């Protein structure tokens, strides 16, 4: 490979219990081999073996490239093997990078709605670095139309399920360079993981939902996401990164087909847009080559203990329905100005909370407030005048006409993301009692800093004794209790307060 124009690299660390990834390796091969060659195809290999005397990444590496006659592209994949006698290691990221000629390629296309002429690497070097190196304010770009914009590679990220084709276009000559992702099963942590793109035998099933407080009959799991991944617990596919995952989306009737699955043992996982929680089929599914498996109808019973008293948001595993503020005029990326679905990708929105709530925190009143304008999309810290950050407490005010003191109510609390945060829930006498519920330290998504509207999904069912409630006005307090910097915080997906069961 040409190590300056296209290469593989890896970030890794020896602290497998922590998050440190302080080592970097370009994965340059030391041995070249032709694996296959004929008139129509050639496959070549670059390998590098680990030995205990070297201070390098303790994995055997084999990078492969395949080229076909009369095709203008190539296919690349890698095989990484951890020797039994090698030290333990944790991997942060493995990637293939392609550096194109800057004087040729200046138009970038990530998706149908995210494409345009982009700044150059020199424009970025001459700009003003912001809160982290990837974010730069363009102060004197070669294209004056870009002056005053923020460019940040994380603004161009996409969910795994949406990454299909992305790349660059050159006008002179008229040529494009495209990265094509033919499938997603090799990508770790499932279809909703946000990832960088460009920057400077079959299984046939049907799944239903049963929520007795919405409908006495089973309802179709419309457009449910269903996947086969390594055996684990409900939702564990979000953190699974050693096996293949095969995902599909059901139709409006909940019917779906998963095909081209590698033989092996899997659990079947699912979630349904508009329904809280995670589904997992109880039995392990053994896939064998050439076989078809039919599990008949599957029924998901989501978390529910009683009828709804009030709810905030839409259970879609994102915070996209909540209020996303306008960016500061001097920190915009005009690609997203008129893009309502991507407003959250603007830089610096975390500090807009302080602008909107400079002294008092958010207060949301059931029956009066509207989550589309009154619920800030991220529960973040407040920036103080000395540059430090202070934890924040949001309030949800609601009235109860009658309280069943002897029964338990339930708070269904779904989080779309958590970044080094700790959520505490108090009820009514906020300052005089311990928390009703606490998550303790939670999450490493970094979604807020990297312009995401979701990350790993968390759901908690919090039991609330009726003796804690009052007839009339009640207040629920939500405290993001860690105040470490601007990027720690939560993205709420959905909150629902349930009365005791009527059965």
């Amino acid at each position: 490979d040409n190590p300056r124009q296209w290469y593989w690299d890896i970030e890794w660390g020896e602290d497998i219990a922590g998050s440190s990834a302080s080592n970097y390796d370009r994965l340059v091969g030391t041995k070249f081999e032709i694996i296959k060659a004929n008139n129509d195809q050639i496959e070549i290999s670059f390998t590098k073996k680990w030995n205990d005397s070297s201070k390098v990444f303790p994995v055997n590496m084999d990078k492969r490239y395949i080229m076909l006659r009369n095709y203008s592209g190539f296919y690349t994949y890698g095989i990484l093997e951890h020797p039994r006698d090698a030290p333990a290691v944790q991997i942060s990221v493995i990637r293939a990078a392609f550096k194109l000629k800057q004087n040729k390629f200046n138009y970038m296309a990530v998706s149908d709605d995210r494409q345009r002429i982009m700044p150059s690497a020199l424009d970025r070097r001459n700009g003003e670095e912001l809160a982290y190196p990837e974010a730069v304010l363009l102060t004197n770009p070669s294209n004056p139309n870009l002056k005053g914009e923020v460019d940040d590679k994380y603004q161009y990220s996409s969910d795994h399920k949406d990454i299909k084709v992305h790349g660059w276009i050159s006008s002179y000559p008229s040529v494009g360079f495209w990265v094509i992702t033919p499938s997603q099963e090799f990508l770790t942590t499932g279809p909703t993981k946000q990832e960088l793109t460009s920057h400077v035998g079959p299984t046939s099933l049907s799944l239903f939902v049963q929520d007795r407080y919405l409908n006495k009959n089973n309802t179709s799991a419309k457009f449910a996401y269903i996947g086969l991944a390594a055996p684990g617990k409900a939702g564990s596919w979000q953190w699974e990164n050693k096996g293949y995952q095969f995902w599909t989306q059901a139709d409006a009737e909940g019917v779906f087909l998963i095909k081209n699955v590698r033989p092996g043992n899997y659990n079947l996982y699912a979630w349904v847009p508009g329904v809280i929680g995670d589904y997992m089929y109880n039995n392990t599914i053994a896939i064998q080559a050439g076989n078809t498996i039919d599990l008949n109808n599957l029924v998901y019973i989501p978390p529910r203990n009683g009828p709804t008293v009030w709810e905030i948001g839409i259970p879609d595993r994102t915070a996209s329905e909540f209020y996303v503020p306008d960016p500061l005029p001097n920190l915009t990326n005009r690609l997203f100005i008129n893009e309502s679905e991507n407003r959250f990708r603007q830089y610096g929105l975390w500090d807009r909370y302080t602008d909107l709530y400079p002294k008092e925190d958010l207060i949301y009143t059931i029956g009066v407030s509207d989550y589309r304008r009154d619920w800030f999309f991220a529960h973040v810290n407040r920036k103080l005048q000395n540059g430090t950050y202070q934890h924040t407490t949001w309030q949800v005010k609601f009235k109860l006409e009658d309280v069943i003191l002897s029964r338990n109510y339930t708070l269904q609390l779904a989080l779309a993301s958590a970044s080094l945060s700790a959520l505490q829930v108090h009820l009514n006498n906020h300052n005089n009692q311990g928390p009703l519920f606490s998550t303790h330290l939670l999450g490493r998504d970094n979604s807020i800093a990297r312009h995401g509207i979701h990350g790993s999904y968390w759901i908690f069912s919090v039991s609330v004794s009726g003796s804690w409630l009052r007839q009339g006005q009640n207040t629920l307090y939500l405290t993001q209790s860690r105040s470490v910097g601007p990027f720690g915080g939560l993205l709420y997906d959905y909150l629902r307060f349930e009365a005791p069961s009527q059965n």
Side-chain angles (χ1 to χ4, degrees):
D1 339 38
N2 186 326
R4 292 174 294 180
Q5 290 187 305
W6 54 298
Y7 55 85
W8 288 59
D9 67 1
I10 190 167
E11 295 178 9
W12 60 283
E14 297 171 346
D15 179 14
I16 61 173
S19 60
S20 174
S22 56
N23 299 303
Y24 177 84
D25 196 307
R26 276 289 180 95
L27 294 180
V28 177
T30 58
K31 180 183 177 182
F32 165 75
E33 182 181 0
I34 298 176
I35 303 299
K36 181 178 181 178
N38 56 43
N39 292 333
D40 299 312
Q41 173 183 332
I42 186 170
E43 179 173 356
I44 59 178
S45 166
F46 296 89
T47 58
K48 184 177 185 179
K49 297 290 187 180
W50 173 83
N51 64 76
D52 57 8
S53 64
S54 61
K55 300 289 185 178
V56 297
F57 181 52
V59 163
N60 295 331
M61 176 272 296
D62 184 354
K63 295 184 298 183
R64 301 285 184 94
Y65 300 93
I66 300 175
M67 289 167 280
L68 302 179
R69 181 179 296 277
N70 298 324
Y71 280 82
S72 59
F74 64 91
Y75 179 77
T76 182
Y77 69 100
I79 303 171
L80 300 180
E81 179 189 42
H82 185 250
R84 186 179 299 275
D85 55 343
V89 64
Q90 66 95 4
I91 301 172
S92 174
V93 62
I94 306 172
R95 61 197 163 203
F98 304 91
K99 303 286 188 179
L100 308 180
K101 290 186 177 181
Q102 298 180 34
N103 62 341
K104 299 291 184 183
F105 294 89
N106 65 351
Y107 190 94
M108 186 182 77
V110 172
S111 62
D112 289 342
D113 56 356
R114 287 190 285 163
Q115 51 181 277
R116 66 162 187 179
I117 294 175
M118 296 292 289
S120 68
L122 182 60
D123 293 337
R124 286 181 52 87
R125 287 196 296 270
N126 291 337
E128 177 187 340
E129 183 178 312
L130 298 175
Y132 41 85
E134 293 87 351
V136 172
L137 180 64
L138 303 174
T139 56
N140 188 28
S142 54
N143 182 346
N145 292 328
L146 299 177
K147 185 176 181 179
E149 286 199 27
V150 170
D151 182 75
D152 182 344
K153 70 180 183 180
Y154 297 117
Q155 292 178 315
Y156 314 115
S157 299
S158 294
D159 289 358
H160 282 172
K161 62 183 174 60
D162 300 323
I163 298 177
K164 296 177 175 65
V165 179
H166 61 90
W168 291 80
I169 299 173
S170 168
S171 298
Y172 305 101
S174 297
V175 65
F177 179 88
W178 303 101
V179 177
I180 302 172
T181 305
S183 63
Q184 282 81 40
E185 63 259 23
F186 69 96
L187 298 171
T188 63
T189 66
T192 56
K193 171 69 166 63
Q194 181 170 265
E195 193 57 83
L196 294 173
T197 56
S198 290
H199 65 95
V200 177
T203 304
S204 179
L205 305 166
S206 182
L207 180 65
F208 291 89
V209 176
Q210 182 188 94
D211 189 330
R212 67 184 187 276
Y213 287 99
L214 296 180
N215 194 313
K216 293 182 179 180
N217 300 317
N218 291 344
T219 59
S220 297
K222 295 183 178 180
F223 311 117
Y225 289 89
I226 305 97
L228 293 171
K233 298 180 180 180
S236 63
W237 54 267
Q238 298 180 103
W239 300 281
E240 205 288 314
N241 55 32
K242 292 185 178 180
Y244 288 85
Q245 297 192 17
F246 302 86
W247 288 85
T248 191
Q249 189 171 15
D251 62 17
E253 302 300 321
V255 177
F256 63 92
L257 172 69
I258 305 177
K259 57 184 179 180
N260 299 328
V261 179
R262 289 170 60 94
N265 293 327
Y266 302 88
N267 276 151
L268 184 137
Y269 305 92
W271 84 89
V272 185
V275 180
I276 64 172
D278 284 284
Y279 171 83
M280 187 185 79
Y281 183 64
N282 288 330
N283 298 327
T284 299
I285 297 176
I287 301 295
Q288 298 179 356
N291 285 4
T292 297
I293 298 176
D294 188 345
L295 297 180
N296 298 314
N297 293 335
L298 303 176
V299 178
Y300 171 49
I301 303 177
R304 167 75 79 168
N305 291 321
T308 300
V309 177
W310 54 260
E311 60 185 348
I312 301 173
I314 301 171
D316 61 357
R317 305 171 80 99
T318 82
S320 60
E321 69 270 29
F322 299 129
Y323 178 70
V324 179
D326 292 330
L328 291 172
N330 62 329
L331 293 175
T332 61
N333 184 316
R334 283 190 286 272
L335 178 61
F336 306 116
I337 285 292
N338 297 316
E339 254 295 326
S340 59
E341 292 185 0
N342 285 293
R343 287 170 58 87
F344 61 89
R345 295 192 183 278
Q346 294 284 4
Y347 176 86
L349 295 182
W350 47 84
D351 281 341
R352 296 291 283 123
Y353 177 82
T354 302
D355 297 336
L356 296 171
Y357 303 94
K359 295 182 180 180
E360 302 294 331
D361 284 323
L362 182 151
I363 298 177
Y364 188 93
T365 303
I366 299 297
V368 176
S369 302
D370 185 337
Y371 62 78
R372 294 169 294 186
R373 67 169 185 266
D374 300 319
W375 190 271
F376 199 77
F377 80 104
H379 192 164
V380 292
N381 300 313
R382 177 184 291 105
K383 187 177 183 180
L384 303 179
Q385 291 184 349
N386 62 5
T388 62
Y389 285 80
Q390 178 187 60
H391 71 257
T392 53
T393 298
W394 293 8
Q395 299 180 39
V396 179
K397 294 185 176 294
F398 62 98
K399 291 183 180 180
L400 295 176
E401 297 298 328
D402 298 294
V403 177
I404 307 175
L405 298 176
S406 61
R407 303 285 298 279
N408 287 343
Y409 294 70
T410 304
L411 173 65
Q412 303 287 4
L413 181 61
L415 304 179
S417 177
S419 301
L420 295 176
S421 54
L423 179 63
Q424 294 182 355
V425 179
H426 293 77
L427 184 64
N428 292 326
N429 295 326
H430 173 59
N431 297 321
N432 300 325
Q433 62 189 21
L436 172 69
F437 170 77
S438 177
T439 65
H440 305 291
L441 180 62
L442 187 69
R444 292 179 177 177
D445 291 349
N446 214 16
S447 297
I448 295 170
R450 297 191 174 187
H451 321 298
I453 202 65
H454 64 81
S456 297
Y457 177 79
W458 307 81
I459 183 166
F460 305 96
S461 294
V462 182
S463 181
V464 182
S465 171
S467 62
W468 287 44
L469 295 164
R470 302 168 178 164
Q471 183 173 343
Q473 187 69 49
N474 291 266
T475 303
L476 185 74
Y477 298 88
L478 302 169
T479 301
Q480 201 298 93
S481 58
R482 288 179 59 86
S483 56
V484 182
F487 307 129
L490 305 163
L491 301 183
Y492 294 98
D493 169 39
Y494 175 73
L495 297 90
R496 184 172 71 212
F497 195 72
E498 300 172 357
S501 171
Q502 295 177 345
N503 293 336

